[in-house]
Amino acid sequence: MLRWITFIIIYLIADFYAFQAFKTAVKSNWLQIIYWLISALVLGNFVLQYYGFNRRDGFSHQHAYAVGFLIALIAPKVILGLSMFTEDVFRVPQALFRYFTEGNEAKGNYFASRRAFISKIALGVAAIPLASILYGIFKGRYNYKVLKYTLFFEDLPKAFDGYKLTQISDIHSGSFDNLEKVKYAVSLINEQESDVILFTGDFVNDKAEELVPYKNIFNKLKAKDGLFSILGNHDYGDYTTWDSETAKRKNLEDLKNVQKEIGFDLLLNEHRYLEKNGEKIALIGVENWGTGGFKQAGDLKKASQHIQETDFKILMSHDPSHWEHKVIQDNYHYHLTLSGHTHGMQFGIEIPGWFKWSPAKWRYKYWAGIYKEMGQYINVNRGFGYLAFPGRVGIWPEITVIELKKGKEIA
């Protein structure tokens, strides 16, 4: 209860301060009333959705939108509030000076009036994150991007020179609310005509039933060498309440079965060989392994126990912290690891080939895209779906296409 009271008090103080910028620039009483009505509605809806909320009771679309609209409201108000605070850095000393030098002559009006042009500039700047977040909620979450990479390996079997794989990750089907957009994304995946499709975990938020409405969409995925998948941390059902352990285990079995019905070969600490013209590469899939309190069911040794050290290896591991802490130090050389999990935090700024930033970098060393360490590569997919915040801003849903080439990388 105390945390809710504290949150509301802090929010209202910040809101009132931001309003100083709004009323200085906007003189209409009606628009000022609308300002407060919107603030009250968004904050009220958030409190209604989250008062007494327990993540294990489930996370609905209503919860997601309550978060999304609150963020959309807070972001511009932070900018407005900071602008007023910056102005007060100058106004307060001036007011103190007038108090001690003018005394009663100022008739109590020690503070200089706020300057309208500063408030107008602040409103213009604040409109940028507001528009970006609203775009992210209504359009950005389905703004699928195909990212293509070419990776060179001197020891790649000759038959696999030019081999293409498509990676998708973090579908989170329980968050979707638009069948047609998901159909479009599946058709976009098939348009890549890759040799194999690899899914690196988190088909659902919590329950297998979330995937059922999309089963007949994802079963349209096609690749001549098949579809392969692994489990992510959300697939185990650890973040919701179950009537019993039996119900929880049944949910996981149901999810495995739905994946099988779609056409995925689910790898549970095991491997397969992809063969072509008498040559082969090893495809290894481990269960979830992550730092920071996440499940560590992945067993790299078990998954690779019948693989030769000299085999060319592609590893599927949901959480990139596994690569950082276990894989790159392993005695075996895993040429390419495919991960997801981070979502790029669904928020950031990217200028392809020039700049990449997201708050995700404060949590994960490897959070999006291709990295290389000790002669081994990892691709961290930004995710196909979304979770909690019902949108994406700057970090768009991703379909990764990687072409394997034999030889040295061209400088």
Side-chain angles (χ1 to χ4, degrees):
M1 184 66 178
L2 181 60
R3 65 179 180 178
W4 282 104
I5 294 174
T6 303
F7 168 76
I8 291 173
I9 290 173
I10 293 174
Y11 175 86
L12 289 177
I13 292 173
D15 201 2
F16 177 79
Y17 208 61
F19 180 68
Q20 304 308 305
F22 187 82
K23 75 173 184 178
T24 301
V26 179
K27 301 301 183 181
S28 169
N29 290 333
W30 280 110
L31 290 177
Q32 292 177 18
I33 292 172
I34 291 172
Y35 173 98
W36 285 114
L37 283 175
I38 293 174
S39 295
L41 286 172
V42 172
L43 179 60
N45 182 55
F46 180 79
V47 173
L48 177 66
Q49 296 297 332
Y50 281 92
Y51 183 77
F53 173 75
N54 187 326
R55 174 68 182 85
R56 288 185 171 274
D57 293 333
F59 192 84
S60 67
H61 288 150
Q62 289 81 5
H63 289 114
Y65 280 113
V67 170
F69 289 129
L70 185 68
I71 293 173
L73 194 66
I74 287 176
K77 288 184 177 183
V78 167
I79 293 174
L80 292 175
L82 287 174
S83 70
M84 294 299 96
F85 176 79
T86 302
E87 189 176 16
D88 281 351
V89 168
F90 299 96
R91 290 175 74 234
V92 170
Q94 290 174 353
L96 290 173
F97 179 79
R98 293 189 65 192
Y99 174 80
F100 287 110
T101 58
E102 298 181 25
N104 293 332
E105 295 178 15
K107 298 180 180 180
N109 298 320
Y110 302 112
F111 281 92
S113 299
R114 293 194 181 277
R115 287 169 287 185
F117 81 93
I118 291 179
S119 295
K120 289 178 180 179
I121 290 173
L123 282 172
V125 174
I128 297 173
L130 175 62
S132 298
I133 292 169
L134 291 177
Y135 176 83
I137 293 173
F138 292 105
K139 295 290 185 180
R141 57 186 169 154
Y142 295 119
N143 185 23
Y144 297 100
K145 300 296 182 183
V146 178
L147 301 185
K148 297 184 178 183
Y149 304 98
T150 301
L151 300 181
F152 290 82
F153 303 90
E154 292 186 63
D155 56 348
L156 179 72
K158 187 176 180 180
F160 287 87
D161 187 20
Y163 195 82
K164 287 203 313 182
L165 61 89
T166 288
Q167 179 198 2
I168 52 176
S169 191
D170 298 270
I171 286 174
H172 289 286
S173 52
S175 296
F176 290 143
D177 58 6
N178 191 317
L179 288 168
E180 293 304 314
K181 294 294 186 181
V182 179
K183 287 180 182 177
Y184 163 74
V186 168
S187 67
L188 193 59
I189 293 169
N190 286 335
E191 284 177 15
Q192 308 312 310
E193 298 183 334
S194 290
D195 296 285
V196 66
I197 294 175
L198 306 176
F199 173 69
T200 48
D202 279 1
F203 240 126
V204 297
N205 295 342
D206 297 298
K207 298 180 179 180
E209 63 190 39
E210 300 167 14
L211 182 55
V212 174
Y214 300 92
K215 181 175 67 174
N216 291 331
I217 297 177
F218 287 113
N219 68 7
K220 303 297 190 298
L221 290 170
K222 303 296 180 185
K224 64 180 181 180
D225 288 343
L227 286 61
F228 298 88
S229 63
I230 57 172
L231 296 177
N233 56 299
H234 280 267
D235 294 324
Y236 296 92
D238 288 339
Y239 308 124
T240 191
T241 301
W242 300 98
D243 294 333
S244 65
E245 281 298 314
T246 300
K248 183 179 179 181
R249 287 194 295 270
K250 182 180 183 300
N251 177 73
L252 182 55
E253 291 305 313
D254 289 345
L255 179 60
K256 292 176 183 178
N257 290 332
V258 176
Q259 290 197 38
K260 184 177 181 180
E261 291 173 18
I262 290 173
F264 279 97
D265 183 355
L266 178 61
L267 304 183
L268 302 169
N269 293 325
E270 52 191 328
H271 70 274
R272 304 285 186 268
Y273 276 108
L274 302 175
E275 299 188 13
K276 188 175 182 180
N277 298 335
E279 296 185 298
K280 62 184 181 181
I281 60 177
L283 178 64
I284 305 105
V286 296
E287 295 196 50
N288 191 81
W289 193 103
T291 59
F294 290 106
K295 183 183 288 291
Q296 296 187 346
D299 190 334
L300 189 59
K301 296 298 183 186
K302 179 182 177 183
S304 304
Q305 62 183 340
H306 298 301
I307 290 175
Q308 301 300 313
E309 186 174 353
T310 55
D311 286 336
F312 187 92
K313 307 171 194 69
I314 298 176
L315 172 66
M316 301 165 64
S317 180
H318 178 69
D319 191 320
S321 66
H322 187 216
W323 189 72
E324 177 185 358
H325 293 282
K326 293 291 184 179
V327 177
I328 55 178
Q329 291 91 6
D330 194 87
N331 292 332
Y332 270 19
H333 182 90
Y334 293 88
H335 299 75
L336 172 62
T337 297
L338 303 175
S339 297
H341 182 63
T342 72
H343 298 207
M345 209 163 282
Q346 298 170 211
F347 173 84
I349 302 171
E350 287 197 77
I351 303 174
W354 289 90
F355 181 78
K356 180 174 68 177
W357 178 88
S358 165
K361 69 180 298 181
W362 298 331
R363 172 65 177 84
Y364 294 96
K365 183 177 181 180
Y366 309 102
W367 61 273
I370 297 285
Y371 302 88
K372 185 178 183 181
E373 297 282 354
M374 299 173 64
Q376 301 169 84
Y377 288 97
I378 185 173
N379 180 63
V380 184
N381 184 284
R382 294 160 181 79
F384 184 92
Y386 51 93
L387 181 68
F389 173 64
R392 285 178 173 268
V393 180
I395 304 292
W396 311 120
E398 175 181 343
I399 298 164
T400 310
V401 178
I402 298 176
E403 182 179 11
L404 308 179
K405 295 294 290 182
K406 185 173 179 63
K408 292 183 178 181
E409 185 174 358
I410 301 173

